[in-house]
Amino acid sequence: AAALTLDCSLHWVLRRKLLCASACLRHRAAMSTLLINQPTYAWLRELGLREENDGVYNGTWGGRGEVVTSYCPANNEPIARVRQATTKDYEETVKKAKEAWKIWADIPAPKRGEIVRQIGDALRRKIKVLGSLVSLEMGKIYVEGVGEVQEYVDVCDYAVGLSRMIGGPVLPSERPGHALIEQWNPVGLVGIITAFNFPVAVYGWNNAIALICGNVCLWKGAPTTPLTSVAVTKIVAEVLEQNNLPGAICSMTCGGAEIGSALAKDERVDLVSFTGSTHVGKLVSLMVQERFGRQLLELGGNNAIVVFEDADLNLVVPSTVFAAVGTAGQRCTTTRRLMLHESIHDDVVERLSKAYKQIRIGDPWDSNTLYGPLHTKEAVEQYKAAIEQAKQQGGTIVCGGKVMDRPGNYVEPTIITGLAHDAPIVHKETFVPILYVLKFKTEEEAFSWNNEVKQGLSSSIFTKDMGRVFRWLGPKGSDCGIVNVNIPTSGAEIGGAFGGEKHTGGGRESGSDSWKQYMRRSTCTINYSKDLPLAQGIKFE
């Protein structure tokens, strides 16, 4: 009996060792298939990335949540892994960020600007490799990936100057011996939730401006671009550490809806800046509003280019191609509706169709490529569904309309004509490269169609008529936050306020006076006399 027991024990020990060995082999095999371990992608390690990366930063790196794999949209191969945050990680990070704010808020704004300048310089040094990561993980072409990092750099430069300029006016008081001033102070902790399509730039717009205003930041990037979030945070964290500042000034928690909901509901988060779909933005908005919190929403856009009979078609065609096809139709400012005056409709459609057939499709990191993949397989399904709905509603496919037979999430850029201006599919923002071409007769009709969708982000007209230009810019013209003339709907500069109206959310980021969204205003009356006169001449004696 003793021998039998010993045999059984040995059997289980051997079985356990074999199982462990098998698991180790599977783990090694999985690791070897990661792109980061292939010589072609060795440059990823220049960003401090490895096979499995911590997805929480609050002065120290960690993460005790689920391990997620990031995939390359161009071939659907795994790049590397990130361990996400748990709610406990989130809780610890918020506490550390609030403590860090006590230090950061005491630093003079121009000194904060110096730190932001250093962040911009650190990004400059890594711009090509970070742009390559954006291209690899998000799927946009390389020049767009680098351009996105450049946006963060540009906003840093802008914020440095702004750090010596923000402030309120001294107002004339109606009472003798009194001063009336406007004081601006930081809100405190800014929670930044960003989308997959601009995994660097949108954080940069918020981060640089929020920092010089005296806030600390907590970033939750898109769940499908966690490596970019980690890489950017490593660059920023190094600058803070070199200046002996708490790393929690720029915290990060990778995660999904659970972390996003916790951030939206958290009264300790003084401003929630959310960039994403209108559907999710509405859910976030309700959570923040329920606690009377402050929010900055950058949501969807169903953007239109309106082309009149006097337009320069040599500008119209390349502008439309860039705005409709760039980033594979995955910009919030992508042109989704093209309204053509009936007299030029057929000519423009023919020219566009020829241009679409010349678009160079390929790997996004190939310098010759103009058009890459959609970000996810789900987006491909959305593309297919939209094509079918457009057909059912009377649309005619002029070019494109198919999923491409190649690895990755590639679909053909598509032009559809013949739909009614108010067809359900035309009024729905589908985040794919489908352009709906509409035919109009009058200016009044075109302006009305532009404004009839629920979103109000970007819009543009092409015309040489200066009267029409100013009607377009005026109270009966476009109701969007971005109103352009003779340029595309996409490609906004950082110096202007970026954002839109209606279901786009009403938020403003980046330039102009967007900094005010990150600060709270106090009206202060100071009595430096020995008397106590009341406003409006009231006597209370």
Side-chain angles (χ1 to χ4, degrees):
L4 184 62
T5 303
L6 184 62
D7 284 345
C8 287
S9 297
L10 287 170
H11 171 77
W12 284 109
V13 167
L14 287 169
R15 181 179 168 81
R16 192 176 298 158
K17 284 184 176 179
L18 285 169
L19 286 170
C20 287
S22 176
C24 286
L25 285 171
R26 285 198 303 273
H27 179 72
R28 285 174 187 167
M31 286 299 187
S32 67
T33 62
L34 294 175
L35 295 183
I36 195 169
N37 289 323
Q38 297 179 17
T40 306
Y41 304 99
W43 51 267
L44 288 166
R45 297 186 184 273
E46 295 175 36
L47 292 165
L49 298 174
R50 51 183 191 267
E51 292 91 344
E52 187 171 305
N53 302 273
D54 293 330
V56 176
Y57 180 74
N58 51 30
T60 56
W61 287 92
R64 291 164 286 191
E66 178 187 0
V67 176
V68 296
T69 303
S70 178
Y71 291 89
C72 171
N75 51 34
N76 284 318
E77 291 183 19
I79 305 170
R81 300 190 176 96
V82 175
R83 186 174 289 280
Q84 296 184 324
T86 61
T87 50
K88 188 175 180 182
D89 292 325
Y90 168 81
E91 184 67 25
E92 290 175 2
T93 301
V94 170
K95 287 178 179 175
K96 288 184 178 180
K98 297 296 274 189
E99 285 300 310
W101 179 78
K102 295 175 183 176
I103 295 170
W104 186 243
D106 281 342
I107 297 172
K111 298 292 185 184
R112 296 194 295 255
E114 166 58 19
I115 301 302
V116 171
R117 185 194 66 77
Q118 292 179 34
I119 291 172
D121 283 350
L123 289 163
R124 278 187 178 91
R125 290 192 290 272
K126 299 277 189 179
I127 192 166
K128 290 185 178 179
V129 68
L130 187 54
S132 296
L133 172 59
V134 172
S135 182
L136 184 71
E137 187 176 40
M138 185 273 150
K140 63 178 60 177
I141 60 174
Y142 170 72
V143 290
E144 287 186 330
V146 171
E148 184 174 340
V149 182
Q150 185 64 51
E151 275 196 64
Y152 194 170
V153 171
D154 291 345
V155 173
C156 284
D157 288 348
Y158 178 82
V160 173
L162 198 62
S163 70
R164 293 181 180 272
M165 297 166 63
I166 53 173
V170 177
L171 302 163
S173 173
E174 66 184 59
R175 289 172 281 190
H178 286 59
L180 186 60
I181 66 171
E182 199 173 86
Q183 176 73 20
W184 290 83
N185 286 303
V187 294
L189 172 57
V190 177
I192 304 169
I193 302 175
T194 59
F196 75 87
N197 59 333
F198 281 88
V200 175
V202 172
Y203 175 65
W205 295 348
N206 284 274
N207 173 252
I209 305 297
L211 286 179
I212 63 100
C213 290
N215 302 293
V216 295
C217 298
L218 171 54
W219 182 20
K220 191 200 88 67
T224 52
T225 53
L227 297 173
T228 302
S229 298
V230 170
V232 170
T233 300
K234 283 182 178 290
I235 292 169
V236 175
E238 187 177 359
V239 172
L240 294 172
E241 289 162 10
Q242 287 170 349
N243 286 274
N244 297 313
L245 289 165
I249 289 169
C250 294
S251 300
M252 177 196 69
T253 51
C254 290
E258 185 181 31
I259 299 300
S261 295
L263 195 153
K265 293 176 181 177
D266 195 339
E267 293 193 352
R268 296 167 298 178
V269 179
D270 302 286
L271 168 65
V272 176
S273 175
F274 174 86
T275 302
S277 70
T278 298
H279 171 71
V280 178
K282 184 176 181 180
L283 298 176
V284 169
S285 177
L286 291 171
M287 291 179 204
V288 178
Q289 184 58 45
E290 191 171 25
R291 62 179 175 87
F292 289 98
R294 186 187 288 212
Q295 56 191 295
L296 193 169
L297 301 176
E298 294 286 358
L299 311 178
N302 194 342
N303 315 294
I305 286 178
V306 182
V307 184
F308 288 90
E309 64 274 23
D310 64 338
D312 182 347
L313 300 189
N314 291 326
L315 289 178
V316 170
V317 173
S319 293
T320 303
V321 173
F322 171 72
V325 173
T327 324
Q330 296 169 110
R331 291 175 178 238
C332 50
T333 53
T334 290
T335 297
R336 310 204 179 278
R337 298 176 296 149
L338 176 63
M339 302 176 192
L340 301 174
H341 188 268
E342 59 183 0
S343 65
I344 58 168
H345 175 277
D346 294 350
D347 185 16
V348 174
V349 170
E350 184 180 351
R351 292 192 191 198
L352 275 176
S353 184
K354 287 179 181 176
Y356 266 51
K357 289 169 185 172
Q358 295 171 19
I359 293 167
R360 297 188 298 277
I361 301 170
D363 290 333
W365 48 86
D366 184 335
S367 60
N368 196 45
T369 299
L370 289 179
Y371 175 89
L374 292 176
H375 184 55
T376 61
K377 293 177 182 177
E378 289 76 16
V380 175
E381 294 304 312
Q382 291 168 11
Y383 170 87
K384 289 160 64 177
I387 294 291
E388 288 308 309
Q389 289 172 44
K391 287 179 185 176
Q392 291 166 12
Q393 292 169 27
T396 300
I397 295 175
V398 174
C399 68
K402 300 186 190 73
V403 176
M404 299 180 69
D405 184 17
R406 57 175 293 162
N409 308 321
Y410 285 85
V411 300
E412 293 176 345
T414 301
I415 299 172
I416 298 179
T417 60
L419 285 162
H421 66 92
D422 55 355
I425 191 62
V426 173
H427 276 218
K428 180 181 179 182
E429 181 197 23
T430 309
F431 226 57
V432 296
I434 299 177
L435 179 67
Y436 303 114
V437 181
L438 311 173
K439 187 187 295 186
F440 72 88
K441 295 176 188 266
T442 67
E443 176 186 305
E444 183 180 10
E445 189 175 58
F447 286 12
S448 173
W449 293 1
N450 177 76
N451 296 345
E452 71 184 3
V453 296
K454 290 185 176 180
Q455 301 89 344
L457 178 52
S458 188
S459 57
S460 183
I461 62 166
F462 282 77
T463 184
K464 296 171 186 170
D465 184 331
M466 292 308 295
R468 181 179 289 136
V469 166
F470 283 98
R471 289 191 293 275
W472 172 246
L473 302 179
K476 295 180 181 177
S478 173
D479 64 0
C480 295
I482 298 170
V483 183
N484 292 336
V485 178
N486 295 331
I487 65 165
T489 55
S490 55
E493 296 183 32
I494 63 105
F498 182 91
E501 303 300 326
K502 302 186 298 188
H503 286 217
T504 302
R508 293 296 187 275
E509 293 172 339
S510 193
S512 186
D513 66 349
S514 299
W515 61 269
K516 292 180 178 178
Q517 303 232 16
Y518 304 89
M519 303 194 83
R520 56 180 179 84
R521 177 189 346 219
S522 301
T523 301
C524 311
T525 307
I526 303 161
N527 181 2
Y528 56 88
S529 74
K530 294 180 180 178
D531 299 315
L532 193 63
L534 301 177
Q536 291 82 47
I538 293 172
K539 301 292 184 183
F540 196 79
E541 296 172 351

